[in-house]
Amino acid sequence: MTDLQGKTIVITGASSGIGAATAKALAARGANIVLAARDQDGLDQLAADIRQTGGTAVAKATDVTDREQVQALADFAVATYGTIDVLFNNAGLMLFSFWKDRALDDWNRMLDVNIRGYLNAIHAVLPVMLERNSGHILNMASVAGHQIGDGAGVYSATKFFVQAITESMRKELGVREGIKASSISPGVIDTGWADKVNDPTGKQAAQELNQVAISPQSVADAIVYALDQPANVTINDLVISPTRQNW
């Protein structure tokens, strides 16, 4: 028996990488998992894999940049399991480019997913948690929110934002409402992110950085640790870095 047994956990960006690894790890500890991402087929396969190994999971295709879709996700979680105990705000984009490249489309995509997506999810789950004076919001941050690497100015800015809102929620919601807020700040993780970079110069920088990447499972283990704590304990911010770094 763990503190995760029977808890309902909503995971955005769940169809692959850190989200998928975390979903499996939390389901193995008895949590009810609500999987969200844009890839319905990927979500359905992951949910089936979790159920096949004895876990509990449902899936709903969700674009976190769409406020109505995120609200529908929260409503779906409550309708299925009765409540939401944990939000793992995980959907994100890391698109490298240099300022001289003026990669405005990539910058705006990161703002939409990494900032508006997080706010949409928080907005959707907070009423459920406030009504119960209980809950946990875990935001995926990054070492890029602590230090800025080459070609990562806008990405780092979005992760500084995540650090700021997490600290604000921790002070306000934790003290007054009994709702935990914490963050995980990984270094470079091998999730296929480097292949999504469109800018040629940024792609080269991303591929070089990815050479020292650690596995999604390592991050999932840290997330389980942060969430599997007694009600009176909050793990504020875990920084997880490769032993060898070229950041």
Side-chain angles (χ1 to χ4, degrees):
M1 185 70 69
T2 75
D3 284 283
L4 295 169
Q5 185 74 36
K7 288 188 175 180
T8 297
I9 302 178
V10 175
I11 302 176
T12 65
S15 59
S16 62
I18 294 170
T22 302
K24 292 178 180 178
L26 294 171
R29 287 158 177 81
N32 304 317
I33 308 300
V34 181
L35 305 166
R38 292 183 299 175
D39 179 10
Q40 184 70 63
D41 291 340
L43 292 176
D44 289 341
Q45 183 60 60
L46 177 57
D49 291 344
I50 289 173
R51 291 193 292 264
Q52 189 173 17
T53 57
T56 303
V58 293
K60 185 171 180 60
T62 305
D63 181 347
V64 296
T65 68
D66 186 314
R67 174 179 172 178
E68 292 183 358
Q69 289 190 35
V70 179
Q71 185 60 58
L73 169 66
D75 294 342
F76 172 71
V78 173
T80 304
Y81 294 122
T83 192
I84 298 171
D85 296 293
V86 177
L87 166 66
F88 176 30
N89 241 341
N90 173 64
L93 282 176
M94 180 164 61
L95 304 174
F96 277 27
S97 66
F98 293 90
W99 291 109
K100 65 181 181 181
D101 300 324
R102 301 170 66 239
L104 187 60
D105 288 344
D106 282 355
W107 300 347
N108 282 326
R109 288 172 64 197
M110 285 188 285
L111 293 178
D112 286 341
V113 176
N114 298 359
I115 293 180
R116 295 185 181 93
Y118 277 45
L119 294 179
N120 286 340
I122 293 166
H123 176 268
V125 305
L126 262 182
V128 181
M129 296 182 178
L130 288 169
E131 184 178 2
R132 299 169 57 237
N133 294 114
S134 177
H136 193 156
I137 296 173
L138 176 62
N139 294 320
M140 176 57 69
S142 171
V143 295
H146 298 267
Q147 57 190 39
I148 303 172
D150 292 343
V154 176
Y155 177 70
S156 287
T158 67
K159 292 306 180 178
F160 273 94
F161 171 87
V162 171
Q163 294 287 352
I165 63 170
T166 304
E167 179 64 19
S168 175
M169 287 191 294
R170 184 182 303 133
K171 290 181 177 179
E172 180 181 331
L173 297 176
V175 172
R176 302 176 189 172
E177 309 293 347
I179 298 171
K180 298 183 183 183
S182 54
S183 60
I184 300 287
S185 294
V188 186
I189 312 300
D190 186 9
T191 61
W193 65 273
D195 298 329
K196 300 176 184 177
V197 178
N198 295 319
D199 177 74
T201 306
K203 182 180 285 289
Q204 181 179 353
Q207 290 171 341
E208 292 175 358
L209 184 61
N210 204 46
Q211 292 175 6
V212 296
I214 60 179
S215 72
Q217 187 59 54
S218 297
V219 183
D221 292 341
I223 292 165
V224 170
Y225 170 75
L227 294 178
D228 193 11
Q229 298 292 330
N232 64 334
V233 175
T234 301
I235 304 298
N236 290 335
D237 183 32
L238 286 177
V239 179
I240 309 159
S241 301
T243 302
R244 296 179 56 203
Q245 300 184 57
N246 56 5
W247 179 259

